Amino acid sequence: MAATHLLRSSPFLQNPNPNTTHHTFKPRSTIKCTISSQPNTPISKHRRPADESIRQEAHRRHDTSKNTFSAKYVPFNSDPNSEESYSLDEVVYRSRSGGLLDVQHDIEALKAFDGAYWKSLFDSRIGKTTWPYGSGVWSKKEWVLPEIDSDDIVSAFEGNSNMFWAERFGKQFLGMNDLWVKHCGISHTGSFKDLGMTVLVSQVNRLRKMGKPVYGVGCASTGDTSAALSAYCASAGIPSIVFLPANKISMAQLVQPIANGAFVLSLDTDFDGCMQLVREVTAELPIYLANSLNSLRLEGQKTAAIEILQQFDWEVPDWVIVPGGNLGNIYAFYKGFHMCKELGLVDRIPRLVCAQAANANPLYLYYKSGWKDFSAVKAKTTFASAIQIGDPVSIDRAVYALKNCDGIVEEATEEELMDAMAQADSTGMFICPHTGVALTALHKLRNSGVISPTDRTVVVSTAHGLKFTQSKVDYHSKVIPDMACSLANPPVNVKADFGSVMDVLKSYLESKDSKK
């Protein structure tokens, strides 16, 4: 108890550095603390000067002793004997062979501190306003981008999204008592993309301060990536360039990059066409690529997995279901869970499910073939527009993750995902179509008995439902072609007189009473 008190009281937790002269930490549970000879004596805190910002305060308190944590780019899933690596300060997106890159942390340096230490450190930062630890991403800074100066970080204190118990939905429709929804859409720009973008734009900010020739940041997007990129670039005063497929994203998604001052190119192609163009452009111009081909994004996104464990008091759920399009996120969740296991915070990782729309399902088809025959597909229009991707960049990452956690891939038709969304909304949620895809996958796995009624299951909601109001309006208006919209709840037209209103209300109440 005393050691825990000292850990949580220590200013080391706000600026951890194993070389600090105030504290000596020995590997694995052995903790010596020299804060005070009287542990119960409160440590006095002084409010920062009124003319000093929290960023300036963090800069002033920055420990100048050598940082022992580091990370670098390496070829994804490469031979352990490979010597190919790159500094994170290099502008590089592919390995020499043309393959994906991954951010590799110095695990041995991180292992100098045991799992209990990391849990205490991360937990101590939740809900704080200390820069930059008020962010759910940067509260795990040592595992994300350990060498960046806090003064270079661009953050809107993203993350720390709530995970709520879907009590009625789970019990009524699935017979489950332990169903949870991780609402990553409750973030600065309304989607999980903020988690990765704060890392990427922070690194660009660092590179520009170092004098690197990076004049702007560009991305292809089906909506949410462009919103996140434009917001974080606007915050840092960095130009952002957005490639969007014309007439294929919602107005709520389109207006975000426009409002944040991005240079928006509306292109007569789909996302895959936009992705090809932005890759060609960033290879020729000093524009930094912000899509999830860039593995920095995944370092931020993996913190959502760590948050899930924190929110369960470091107990591991049985299942985590993630919608998948370009497929970086499923790997990011795997990486977050795997790091927690490797560094001793938990003893296992959950099984992952990647849920795809049937109209854009290359991973699902690959999975059903027994991982024997991958082919890109021409993605068809889907209400889950953010995952309308037929040639996913992170296909290799997703397959690696799923194979290493005994994962599953499921799909959802348009009618299934829209019905699931309406069903969830009827229980008090207000979810996006992509979460409808994930809930459909859950329905199918429950019906087949793969997921049991007692399994603790987390569905990752990737965006806020307010970004997709038109799809909800169309569903409840029953105007979607070839769709029954069986759970539609349109308004009832009534004459503006007491008798007509009473008749309608009596009929409604009787119908509800008969269903008890």
Side-chain angles (χ1 to χ4, degrees):
M1 181 66 74
T4 302
H5 170 79
L6 289 175
L7 258 178
R8 294 187 180 277
S9 302
S10 172
F12 180 89
L13 296 178
Q14 299 303 322
N15 187 19
N17 190 306
N19 292 326
T20 174
T21 57
H22 300 292
H23 313 276
T24 302
F25 284 86
K26 295 183 178 180
R28 305 292 177 202
S29 302
T30 304
I31 300 172
K32 181 188 289 184
C33 214
T34 60
I35 298 171
S36 170
S37 60
Q38 299 180 359
N40 295 322
T41 303
I43 300 173
S44 61
K45 292 186 177 181
H46 300 283
R47 183 171 176 174
R48 68 178 184 277
D51 61 348
E52 183 180 59
S53 72
I54 58 171
R55 185 191 291 275
Q56 291 168 327
E57 179 186 40
H59 189 265
R60 173 170 54 82
R61 292 183 174 180
H62 177 64
D63 193 337
T64 56
S65 58
K66 180 176 171 54
N67 172 47
T68 62
F69 305 126
S70 63
K72 60 186 177 182
Y73 293 124
V74 298
F76 172 73
N77 198 23
S78 63
D79 184 327
N81 296 319
S82 170
E83 295 183 356
E84 182 181 356
S85 66
Y86 307 89
S87 164
L88 298 187
D89 293 334
E90 293 185 58
V91 179
V92 57
Y93 313 115
R94 292 279 195 180
S95 68
R96 286 195 291 265
S97 66
L100 296 169
L101 294 174
D102 198 17
V103 175
Q104 182 185 84
H105 290 263
D106 184 348
I107 295 297
E108 292 307 310
L110 295 172
K111 282 183 176 179
F113 303 90
D114 65 9
Y117 165 76
W118 289 116
K119 286 192 283 189
S120 183
L121 175 63
F122 294 159
D123 288 346
S124 75
R125 292 168 171 172
I126 294 175
K128 302 295 191 297
T129 58
T130 306
W131 183 264
Y133 303 127
S135 161
V137 173
W138 296 108
S139 65
K140 288 87 177 170
K141 180 176 181 287
E142 297 79 10
W143 291 21
V144 174
L145 212 58
E147 294 172 273
I148 193 169
D149 192 300
S150 293
D151 194 42
D152 295 336
I153 289 173
V154 182
S155 173
F157 280 11
E158 53 289 309
N160 291 324
S161 58
N162 73 314
M163 185 164 63
F164 63 87
W165 179 35
E167 180 183 14
R168 184 180 162 206
F169 183 86
K171 289 180 178 178
Q172 181 173 335
F173 298 113
L174 296 164
M176 300 179 73
N177 287 320
D178 214 357
L179 175 62
W180 299 79
V181 176
K182 176 64 170 168
H183 204 333
C184 293
I186 300 180
S187 191
H188 178 53
T189 71
S191 86
F192 78 95
K193 299 294 179 69
D194 294 346
L195 305 180
M197 208 57 74
T198 181
V199 177
L200 184 141
V201 174
S202 294
Q203 179 64 7
V204 170
N205 195 38
R206 168 182 165 91
L207 294 178
R208 284 163 62 91
K209 288 184 177 182
M210 294 170 64
K212 299 277 187 176
V214 179
Y215 300 135
V217 190
C219 76
S221 178
T222 49
D224 292 331
T225 300
S226 65
L229 174 65
S230 60
Y232 284 87
C233 282
S235 177
I238 299 171
S240 59
I241 301 97
V242 172
F243 291 57
L244 294 177
N247 303 316
K248 292 183 174 68
I249 68 170
S250 74
M251 186 56 66
Q253 292 173 300
L254 175 61
V255 75
Q256 287 183 283
I258 291 173
N260 286 137
F263 186 66
V264 179
L265 286 73
S266 181
L267 302 171
D268 186 20
T269 183
D270 58 9
F271 171 81
D272 295 316
C274 290
M275 187 69 230
Q276 179 61 34
L277 282 167
V278 78
R279 286 169 63 179
E280 293 173 359
V281 167
T282 53
E284 295 294 327
L285 295 175
I287 298 171
Y288 198 79
L289 179 65
N291 285 97
S292 57
L293 174 64
N294 189 321
S295 51
L296 281 177
R297 285 259 309 276
L298 307 185
E299 292 306 292
Q301 290 166 207
K302 77 184 181 189
T303 62
I306 305 169
E307 279 186 16
I308 288 173
L309 297 175
Q310 281 185 288
Q311 288 166 315
F312 284 132
D313 198 22
W314 302 102
E315 293 180 358
V316 182
D318 299 298
W319 297 89
V320 176
I321 305 176
V322 185
N326 221 11
L327 302 180
N329 213 25
I330 192 73
Y331 176 67
F333 271 81
Y334 170 79
K335 190 172 186 181
F337 288 128
H338 184 263
M339 280 191 75
C340 286
K341 180 176 182 292
E342 188 174 20
L343 291 169
L345 285 73
V346 295
D347 60 2
R348 64 184 181 90
I349 65 174
R351 293 183 68 182
L352 297 176
V353 177
C354 187
Q356 292 207 292
N359 281 1
N361 63 349
L363 181 67
Y364 174 77
L365 296 176
Y366 192 21
Y367 172 76
K368 296 300 284 186
S369 76
W371 304 122
K372 294 176 182 176
D373 185 25
F374 174 75
S375 297
V377 302
K378 178 66 175 177
K380 301 174 185 176
T381 300
T382 171
F383 284 102
S385 57
I387 57 175
Q388 186 179 317
I389 299 169
D391 190 11
V393 166
S394 291
I395 180 68
D396 293 339
R397 292 170 174 150
V399 173
Y400 177 88
L402 292 163
K403 284 183 176 180
N404 281 280
C405 69
D406 194 17
I408 293 173
V409 186
E410 252 306 345
E411 66 172 356
T413 66
E414 293 302 288
E415 188 150 12
E416 287 172 337
L417 73 89
M418 291 298 285
D419 283 347
M421 183 171 68
Q423 196 177 59
D425 288 353
S426 74
T427 66
M429 300 189 224
F430 195 74
I431 65 169
C432 65
H434 319 85
T435 310
V437 174
L439 290 174
T440 298
L442 174 57
H443 269 290
K444 291 181 175 181
L445 294 172
R446 275 289 297 117
N447 291 339
S448 65
V450 174
I451 294 180
S452 77
T454 57
D455 284 349
R456 174 171 285 178
T457 302
V458 178
V459 170
V460 177
S461 182
T462 54
H464 202 290
L466 284 172
K467 288 191 172 191
F468 301 92
T469 52
Q470 189 58 54
S471 66
K472 294 175 184 287
V473 169
D474 291 346
Y475 182 91
H476 290 288
S477 300
K478 293 192 172 184
V479 298
I480 302 174
D482 305 317
M483 189 176 292
C485 302
S486 57
L487 299 174
N489 182 33
V492 179
N493 294 320
V494 188
K495 290 182 179 180
D497 65 74
F498 180 74
S500 298
V501 171
M502 287 296 289
D503 288 343
V504 169
L505 287 176
K506 285 179 180 178
S507 176
Y508 169 75
L509 293 173
E510 287 172 0
S511 69
K512 289 296 181 183
D513 188 60
S514 66
K515 293 179 181 178
K516 287 184 178 179

